[in-house]
Structure formats: C-alpha cells, structure tokens
Amino acid sequence: MIGGGPGGYVCSIRLGQLKQKVICVEKEEVGGVCLNWGCVPSKALISASHTYEKVKDHGAGMGIFADNVRVDPNKMQDWKNGIVKKLTGGVRGLFRGNGVELVIGNATVKGPRTVEVKTAEGTVETIEATKAIVIATGSSTIEIPTFKFDGKSIIGAKEAVSLREVPKRLLVIGGGVIGLELGCVYQKFGAELTVVEATPSLLPGVDPECTAVVEKRLTKKGAKIIKNAKATGYERNADGSLAVKLDLGEGKYDTVVTDVVLVAVGMRPNGAGLGLEELGVKVERGFVPSDHLGRTNVDGIYAIGDVTGQPMLAHKASKEGEVVAEVIAGHKAAKDWVAIPAAIFTDPEIAVAGLTEAQAKEKGIEVRVGKFPFSALGRAMAVNETDGFFKVVADKKTNELLGVHIVGPEASDLISEGALALEMHAFLEDIGLTIHPHPTLGEGMMEAAMNGLGHAIHILNRNAG
Ligand code: NAI
C-alpha cells in the first residue's frame, strides 16, 4: 500500500481483517491530508468559530449574555492538535490490531510487484509484494506561481488550519470548498474577508440556489465577494500588508489590500514521479485512472482515492479502499454506488447527493422538485438557525428520487438519509411515508418529499405538480 490517507489506511485495515499481509508505506503521518490538516482539523476550527459566534452574536436573543468572550488561537490550536493526535494514534492502533505493518518513508514503484522505500534517515528498503500494489497517494495543494507560499502571509489550507493569530484582513483566492470553509472560520473570528473567484459563481457545480444562501450570509456579515476575477500578483507595502492585483476581465483591474492571502484553487493528484509510467501504468495529468474494481491498466497495480480523479473526497477514497481490499482478497465487490454525497461546511452548511435539477434536465429527464424551508421547522427555530431549505429532485414520471440538496443547519448530517434513499432507489412516497421524529431538523426531508407530491403539511404547496 503506498499512502496512508483515508483511502490507503482503510484499504490496509480491511485487507488486514481479510487476513491479507499488508505493508503500508506513508511518507508523513497516517491519516493523510484528511486527518492531519484537512477534513478533521478544519472541522474542529469551524466548530470553534461557530461556538464563538453563537455566544457572541446570537446568545443575547436567547437570553444568554456572555461578557468578555474572546479567542485564544494558541489554546485552540493545542485542542485541534490533540484531536489529530488521537485520531492518527487510533489509526496506528487499528493497524497493529489488524496486523498491518507501517513503514514511514517515500515509496517508488520499481517493478510490477517491487516497491523501494527511502526513509528520512536515508536508508533504502526494497519490498516485494506477492499479490498487489495499491496506489493511494492522494493529492496536493495547487500553488499559483505569482503567489509562492511563504508560510506566513501567503498560505495554503495546511497553514490556514494552523494559524496562531487571526489575520485582520484575509483574502481568499478561489471561492471553492476550502476557500469558503476557512473563509467562514476567520470571518467569524473577526477577519475582514475578501473572496476572489475566477468563475461567475461560488462553489461551481453546486446547486446555485444553495450557494446563494451561503453567499448572502457571507456578504451580510461584511465579506466582499469578487467573481469573474483572477488574482494576478501582489506588491508588498511598507507596513507589511499586501496589495493584491485583480484582473476583472474586459480590460478592468482592481487592487485589494490584505494581510494574509489564502490560495485555495484546487488540489492536483499525486500520480506522477512514482515510477508508474516506466511500468506502463497510464498516468494522465497526474491522475492514475482505475476501473470499477480499482484496477489500473497494469495487472496487479490498483489505484484508489484522490489520485484516481474527481471527486476528491475522503469518503469516496475510503469506500474505494474497501472495494479494492475485497477484490484483492478474491471477493465479489465493485464501485457500484448510485451517489457519492458531498458536505460543504460553510455557514450554513451545504450537502448534496445525486443529480441537481439542471443535471437531470441535461439528461433529458423531466423532473419534479419538492422544497421545504428550515424556517417552517419548529426545531430550526428552537436552535435559532432558520436560513436554508431542503430540495429533492425526482423523476416526474415515476417519482423516483434523483437528487437531494440541503443548505442549512446540520446539512452535512442530514444528507445521509438522502444518500441512503438514492442507494435504495427510493421514491418520494417512501421518504414522505417514513415517520421522522418530531421535533427534528430531519422532518424537513420528509416535508420536501411531500411537497414534491403536492401535500407537505407545514407549508402551502403552491409549486405542486
Ligand atoms: P475547489 O475546486 O473546490 O475550488 C477552487 C476554486 O478556485 C474554484 O471555484 C475555481 O473556479 C477557483 N479558481 C481557480 N483558479 C483561480 C484563480 N486563479 N483565481 C480565482 N479563483 C480561481 O478546490 P479547493 O477549494 O481548493 O478544494 C480542493 C479539493 O478538496 C476539492 O476537490 C474538494 O472537493 C476537497 N475538499 C472537500 C471538502 C469537503 O468535502 N467538505 C473540504 C475541503 C476540500
């Protein structure tokens, strides 16, 4: 196994459970981007920023007055690092318990079953695999040549989750998932936020109605969102601040002064330079394509996770890891899921599974859409979070569910019901007939399905049919 991220470590553990002998080579720390500086650390900071804002700005409305609320970024970092340590330690424990050997070092593929590992101490070890090699090397932050990372004022996501000082002004290049999640964090902690996005919309590809809710909240709190714009370079001012130059297209330019620039323009796959091309493994712009069983074009070499292509999501990597482990052990398994859900931890959260309305229409499907706002849910009022809605997209002829799009509180947890419904080929009637406990946010899913059928109880069904 080359790579110990959420693809590689899950695949290793499952192989261990299946009594296969596994050596997992990881060049940094088990857990990969996800546990060390991606998914989990960012969610810790997001949750801290949410708590801070709730107490500071929303408490009074509930009758809670917290004077002298303040942020200690050092303490917060220590807390976050503690979570990372617990999780990576947990993975190491699961490796031991399942007989997986961990080797820390840099791996290169030297033959169809041969891997060479260079350790930090300079030793070189050759590993001969009897059955298979799995490539799970993930992806790396894309750097813009005119914004070279300096670890202080020009940073990527890795540094952004480790700041020990809240920037006064933060400019984010890229209005995608990372830019908006971390932008929301530092905005809540008091940074003046500017987001520069190259395309006409934030979070390209996400249902625009969902994105609009997040954008409205960001701008209401003072963020400046500049779309159709590219950051081309910067000059450093005498006081240390940065004057970032923007190309707004059609011959127009602008300059924004900031203290810190977060570059979040995507991730590139780590498939090149591993020795794969030399063995005839197809590597396309760094991606290592694999089929429904996780096989590359060369027998015995498998690939999973970010390195295989979009979507670059931890849970997709893990599921692919499980499938490949079964395949290597000789069991029947395949990447045959209906939908890969995605959760975006902005404020409010967005979570999606399956087709958007536009994607369904592009496929020539006539759709039925059901919606239900959080503002009509008693529980949403009780938790003081009423922005957003549930939206279900179904086939108009059969009422089979095609997609679920949620923007609002706890959307990231609520989407699992949508993903399950899609996997089970549920109809709107199935969701509408399922008793959802009251008072919960999940009732919105049931009501949205019923709205699609024309009879949601707690709103007027003006869009019915
Ligand atoms: P992204 O692809 O989500 O967003 C990058 C954004 O930058 C796009 O909107 C793009 O149009 C814009 N952009 C590109 N070049 C630009 C330029 N020169 N100037 C201005 N804007 C420009 O990539 P991001 O946010 O870096 O995330 C990387 C990956 O990590 C994604 O594949 C995402 O799925 C994954 N991720 C997932 C999370 C989650 O599931 N909650 C959290 C964070 C990351």
Side-chain angles (χ1 to χ4, degrees):
M1 181 72 51
I2 304 182
Y9 88 67
V10 168
C11 190
S12 299
I13 290 172
R14 185 66 191 127
L15 281 165
Q17 290 173 345
L18 294 167
K19 306 291 174 233
Q20 308 289 309
K21 185 166 169 30
V22 192
I23 299 175
C24 178
V25 186
E26 164 56 54
K27 68 180 159 78
E28 291 175 17
E29 174 57 288
V30 286
V33 170
C34 172
L35 297 195
N36 290 289
W37 57 267
C39 316
V40 176
S42 64
K43 263 78 265 177
L45 298 185
I46 287 165
S47 137
S49 68
H50 196 63
T51 305
Y52 175 66
E53 189 183 60
K54 271 222 150 185
V55 174
K56 189 170 72 66
D57 297 339
H58 306 305
M62 293 169 141
I64 299 169
F65 299 93
D67 301 324
N68 196 21
V69 184
R70 64 208 188 282
V71 179
D72 179 345
N74 277 312
K75 178 112 180 62
M76 194 183 299
Q77 282 299 321
D78 295 345
W79 168 70
K80 178 215 77 182
N81 292 340
I83 298 171
V84 173
K85 211 166 161 205
K86 254 184 229 153
L87 287 168
T88 54
V91 172
R92 282 172 177 259
L94 288 169
F95 271 15
R96 282 191 296 275
N98 286 291
V100 176
E101 187 186 334
L102 174 64
V103 173
I104 298 292
N106 208 330
T108 322
V109 184
K110 292 289 178 190
R113 299 288 184 279
T114 310
V115 173
E116 188 182 271
V117 182
K118 277 200 186 97
T119 64
E121 296 77 40
T123 60
V124 178
E125 188 185 336
T126 300
I127 302 170
E128 295 291 345
T130 47
K131 260 192 179 170
I133 296 174
V134 182
I135 310 298
T137 47
S139 58
S140 306
T141 304
I142 294 177
E143 201 172 3
I144 303 179
T146 47
F147 289 90
K148 285 251 167 264
F149 294 136
D150 64 10
K152 279 192 175 153
S153 49
I154 301 181
I155 59 174
K158 191 173 186 173
E159 295 78 27
V161 296
S162 301
L163 294 183
R164 289 190 178 259
E165 201 179 325
V166 175
K168 192 167 167 294
R169 291 164 294 192
L170 173 68
L171 182 140
V172 177
I173 306 179
V177 186
I178 293 180
L180 293 192
E181 285 189 359
L182 295 176
C184 282
V185 166
Y186 288 106
Q187 184 185 42
K188 282 174 197 252
F189 286 140
E192 281 171 37
L193 177 67
T194 303
V195 179
V196 179
E197 165 57 42
T199 72
S201 66
L202 297 177
L203 298 169
V206 173
D207 182 310
E209 275 190 277
C210 292
T211 312
V213 176
V214 172
E215 186 171 346
K216 193 172 162 196
R217 191 171 287 184
L218 277 167
T219 46
K220 199 173 157 194
K221 289 195 283 185
K224 205 168 155 196
I225 313 269
I226 308 170
K227 291 181 261 186
N228 290 310
K230 278 194 173 165
T232 52
Y234 69 92
E235 271 167 26
R236 202 173 282 275
N237 294 325
D239 64 356
S241 63
L242 309 174
V244 177
K245 293 180 217 156
L246 306 182
D247 181 347
L248 308 176
E250 296 167 353
K252 292 190 195 129
Y253 301 90
D254 198 1
T255 301
V256 177
V257 177
T258 189
D259 301 300
V260 173
V261 173
L262 165 61
V263 179
V265 295
M267 304 282 279
R268 62 176 166 72
N270 295 331
L274 294 167
L276 294 170
E277 292 101 324
E278 290 81 344
L279 291 176
V281 177
K282 202 188 280 175
V283 180
E284 293 168 349
R285 292 172 291 109
F287 287 112
V288 183
S290 64
D291 68 6
H292 64 295
L293 301 178
R295 299 174 302 192
T296 66
N297 61 313
V298 170
D299 184 49
I301 301 187
Y302 296 78
I304 55 174
D306 284 11
V307 77
T308 65
Q310 297 287 353
M312 291 185 177
L313 297 170
H315 46 273
K316 173 221 169 210
S318 298
K319 265 286 165 270
E320 288 182 345
E322 286 176 45
V323 167
V324 162
E326 301 289 342
V327 170
I328 291 173
H331 297 169
K332 201 165 172 275
K335 298 192 238 168
D336 58 358
W337 38 81
V338 175
I340 300 172
I344 306 171
F345 296 79
T346 41
D347 181 20
E349 294 178 354
I350 296 177
V352 301
L355 302 180
T356 60
E357 215 177 324
Q359 285 165 339
K361 283 179 186 159
E362 261 167 42
K363 285 176 179 273
I365 306 170
E366 217 185 324
V367 297
R368 185 184 298 290
V369 173
K371 273 180 87 174
F372 193 80
F374 277 89
S375 58
L377 285 172
R379 180 64 189 276
M381 285 182 221
V383 297
N384 208 15
E385 294 262 10
T386 50
D387 283 353
F389 56 84
F390 293 75
K391 181 176 184 178
V392 294
V393 179
D395 184 322
K396 192 165 189 174
K397 284 201 196 88
T398 62
N399 289 345
E400 182 175 339
L401 185 69
L402 300 172
V404 180
H405 307 269
I406 308 171
V407 56
E410 316 300 341
S412 57
D413 279 314
L414 295 165
I415 198 64
S416 291
E417 178 182 358
L420 178 66
L422 287 164
E423 285 301 326
M424 300 197 70
H425 296 277
F427 297 90
L428 291 183
E429 289 85 344
D430 295 317
I431 302 167
L433 284 168
T434 303
I435 300 178
H436 288 63
H438 177 73
T440 61
L441 299 174
E443 287 173 277
M445 182 77 181
M446 171 181 71
E447 292 267 22
M450 283 160 67
N451 174 250
L453 298 167
H455 55 82
I457 298 295
H458 292 91
I459 47 165
L460 297 174
N461 296 278
R462 291 206 176 94
N463 61 333

